[in-house]
Amino acid sequence: ALTGITVLDEPSMVHAAEAVARFGPRYVLLKGPDIAADAPDLLWTEDRYTFLRAERIRTRQTHGSGCAFSAAIAAGLARGLPLLDAVRAAKDFVTEAIRRAPGLGSGRGPLNLNWRPSRSSRQ
């Protein structure tokens, strides 16, 4: 909406991220289009862009996923992770929270923010 670019695939994601970057931010995180099979997100920095992929879980249990994603990124940065690592960890956390959603309600239900990674998978 900020750029007027229709995001349908990875090249248009890069184009849109570069257009947003022209507004002045040093970093742009763009959520991928809902039509993609592997739920790509794009992290654009001043010197490169990185696609982050995860399994797309077909469910309506995604209420709060955007807020959880941004909060998990902030938590990773607060723990001292580099930006790319914080975004990767946040994407993994939210993907698993969606997978473990309790299935409440008949509309867009919440994801499961109470799950915890096993001790062996923590950094």
Side-chain angles (χ1 to χ4, degrees):
L2 292 173
T3 65
I5 297 168
T6 301
V7 176
L8 297 173
D9 53 20
E10 290 181 4
S12 61
M13 289 177 74
V14 171
H15 186 59
E18 290 171 342
V20 170
R22 285 193 286 277
F23 291 116
R26 291 180 19 205
Y27 311 106
V28 176
L29 179 60
L30 189 78
K31 298 294 295 167
D34 286 340
I35 61 172
D38 62 353
D41 296 334
L42 171 67
L43 178 62
W44 181 93
T45 64
E46 294 171 307
D47 60 345
R48 68 180 174 153
Y49 60 88
T50 304
F51 281 97
L52 303 128
R53 302 173 196 290
E55 173 191 0
R56 179 172 301 283
I57 301 166
R58 298 288 176 196
T59 181
R60 293 171 46 139
Q61 308 299 312
T62 58
H63 185 76
S65 58
C67 293
F69 189 43
S70 62
I73 293 169
L77 293 172
R79 287 179 38 218
L81 293 177
L83 177 63
L84 181 56
D85 292 342
V87 173
R88 279 189 175 130
K91 184 164 179 77
D92 291 346
F93 175 80
V94 171
T95 298
E96 195 60 30
I98 291 170
R99 181 185 327 283
R100 295 170 183 252
L104 302 176
S106 59
R108 285 189 61 221
L111 49 161
N112 181 354
L113 298 177
N114 292 317
W115 84 274
R116 297 291 176 261
S118 66
R119 288 186 177 266
S120 63
S121 67
R122 291 183 188 165
Q123 293 184 1

